[in-house]
Amino acid sequence: MTGTTPAPFTADDYGARMERAARAAAGAGLAGLLVAPGPDLVWLTGYAPTAVTERLTLLVLAPGRDPVLVVPTLEAPDAGQAAGAPALTLRDWTDGQDPYAVTAGLLDARGRFGVSDNAWAMHLLGLQRTLPGTSYASLTDALPMLRAVKDAAELDLLAAAGAAADQAFEEIRTVPFAGRRESDVGHDLAALLLRFGHSQVDFTIVGSGPNGANPHHEVGDRVIQDGDMVVLDFGGLKDGYGSDTTRTVHVGEPTEEERRVHDVVRAAQEAGFRAVRPGAACQEVDRAARAVITDAGYGPYFIHRTGHGIGVTTHEPPYMIEGEERPLVPGMCFSVEPGIYLPGRFGVRIEDIVTVTRDGGRRLNNTTREMVIVG
């Protein structure tokens, strides 16, 4: 692991997030938020249960009320140790009690609540049985931008995760590719992410030759050959925040066509990056990158959105896609990752994480975007 360990978030940080979330709920016309274990709960409280079971754990946020975390009694000691615990009240329930009755006393009996997307259906249905006058909306629909704008400390963590992923790329480009399986290189990439400080590896895509034409190929047993284009897309979590970067390398000397396709993708990625500025619609980033690829004659072979948000998860709002008219705001972080995928032949993708600044954008990945030749 390299670099210094960042200062942990404090109870005040988590308290401010919970207060902000409650205000956002009110602004969206909701009576409050119900947050189950998962990324939203970690972001709001710092609490991640060691095991998610059928027992109800639920954070209740409502405007003008203190936040309450409903937890099973046997898990209350762990919940009480969470960094955000001093900013909330624990309400525990024991086996044999009805956890929905315990929770119902905290809710407006006729309110509409935002619910974290990963809440279990059995829990939501249990609340509906207890409070039939309530209604619910997923947080993705009701408050999609809840975690989208990062503060300075979050940006530092994302930058550190990006730098660690960059270090992994600088190392992987020196290892042998030809004659080894994609899974071997993928194992190397995962080990490098851990070596450079990641606690969790979410994906290591190694798409060689025709497999590179599948954007989510991940890894397989195909033996990488001399003359292959190889898409490397990898990332995970470091100190709780995500990394995600893609570079496309070539084993030996590329053909003229392979260089041309790589150059088009590189120009598209640059155009997408240059479209990042406060107030621009998310779709403008997609349009800028897509126009370059379309003008070069490869439009039908760019088959996914240009980008996705990143934070405490490696995929979250906002999305850089046609039809997304939400404006970019300083502090948003997302990928810019156009690609061209020629079925049965090869693919090329180049990806950086970018954050919106006061007057444009800043890349959090800084390895070369030129064609890299590997052995």
Side-chain angles (χ1 to χ4, degrees):
M1 181 171 178
T2 61
T4 59
T5 302
F9 294 115
T10 67
D12 287 343
D13 294 326
Y14 290 112
R17 289 179 187 175
M18 287 187 280
E19 183 179 352
R20 186 173 108 198
R23 287 198 309 269
L30 299 171
L33 303 181
L34 307 178
V35 184
D40 291 313
L41 187 64
V42 171
W43 183 75
L44 287 163
T45 69
Y47 178 50
T50 53
V52 178
T53 71
E54 75 283 356
R55 293 184 174 94
L56 178 71
T57 295
L58 201 65
L59 174 68
V60 179
L61 298 177
R65 298 185 186 179
D66 292 337
V68 178
L69 182 62
V70 178
V71 293
T73 299
L74 75 169
E75 296 175 13
D78 286 343
Q81 295 300 310
L88 52 78
T89 299
L90 288 178
R91 182 75 58 85
D92 67 316
W93 61 276
T94 59
D95 287 350
Q97 280 186 294
D98 182 350
Y100 309 116
V102 172
T103 307
L106 305 171
L107 306 182
D108 178 346
R110 304 195 65 80
R112 182 169 178 79
F113 295 88
V115 182
S116 55
D117 295 353
N118 54 337
W120 285 22
M122 64 178 286
H123 296 320
L124 189 59
L125 293 170
L127 286 173
Q128 286 181 315
R129 286 194 302 270
T130 305
L131 294 174
T134 55
S135 60
Y136 305 90
S138 75
L139 283 188
T140 290
D141 291 334
L143 291 174
M145 297 295 113
L146 180 62
R147 304 195 317 255
V149 178
K150 276 64 179 180
D151 62 27
E154 291 181 291
L155 291 174
D156 286 345
L157 289 166
L158 283 162
D166 284 356
Q167 289 177 294
F169 176 72
E170 294 293 1
E171 289 283 332
I172 201 68
R173 62 184 287 186
T174 68
V175 308
F177 277 69
R180 302 176 70 214
R181 293 173 299 180
E182 293 173 342
S183 56
D184 296 330
V185 177
H187 182 270
D188 289 346
L189 268 173
L192 287 166
L193 286 171
L194 295 173
R195 174 179 152 194
F196 291 118
H198 283 64
S199 60
Q200 175 177 312
V201 177
D202 284 352
F203 50 89
T204 55
I205 293 173
V206 182
S208 65
N211 288 340
N214 176 358
H216 282 173
H217 166 68
E218 296 198 358
V219 297
D221 289 330
R222 183 181 185 275
V223 176
I224 301 170
Q225 303 171 22
D226 187 61
D228 278 349
M229 195 83 86
V230 185
V231 178
L232 303 173
D233 183 348
F234 51 97
L237 297 182
K238 180 181 185 296
D239 297 315
Y241 281 75
S243 68
D244 185 2
T245 188
T246 308
R247 295 293 185 262
T248 303
V249 301
H250 197 276
V251 185
E253 284 301 315
T255 65
E256 182 178 336
E257 181 189 21
E258 288 169 332
R259 283 195 181 277
R260 181 170 67 251
V261 172
H262 192 280
D263 286 345
V264 170
V265 174
R266 182 162 54 87
Q269 208 269 349
E270 178 69 18
F273 169 69
R274 292 193 177 279
V276 175
R277 63 186 184 281
C282 292
Q283 67 182 3
E284 294 302 323
V285 179
D286 183 84
R287 288 176 176 178
R290 199 168 299 276
V292 173
I293 292 175
T294 299
D295 290 348
Y298 293 100
Y301 304 106
F302 181 11
I303 56 178
H304 56 73
R305 65 197 174 200
T306 294
H308 59 81
I310 191 168
V312 294
T313 60
T314 48
H315 286 75
E316 61 186 47
Y319 298 105
M320 306 301 112
I321 189 171
E322 181 66 30
E324 180 52 87
E325 297 180 347
R326 287 187 178 87
L328 299 178
V329 176
M332 284 182 172
C333 289
F334 48 84
S335 64
V336 178
E337 51 176 306
I340 293 174
Y341 308 94
L342 303 179
R345 301 182 63 204
F346 65 89
V348 176
R349 182 166 64 257
I350 300 173
E351 173 186 16
D352 295 323
I353 298 302
V354 173
T355 183
V356 185
T357 64
R358 290 174 56 188
D359 55 4
R362 175 170 65 95
R363 285 186 167 99
L364 301 187
N365 295 106
N366 294 290
T367 55
T368 182
R369 285 167 285 280
E370 301 283 345
M371 174 81 77
V372 169
I373 308 299
V374 296

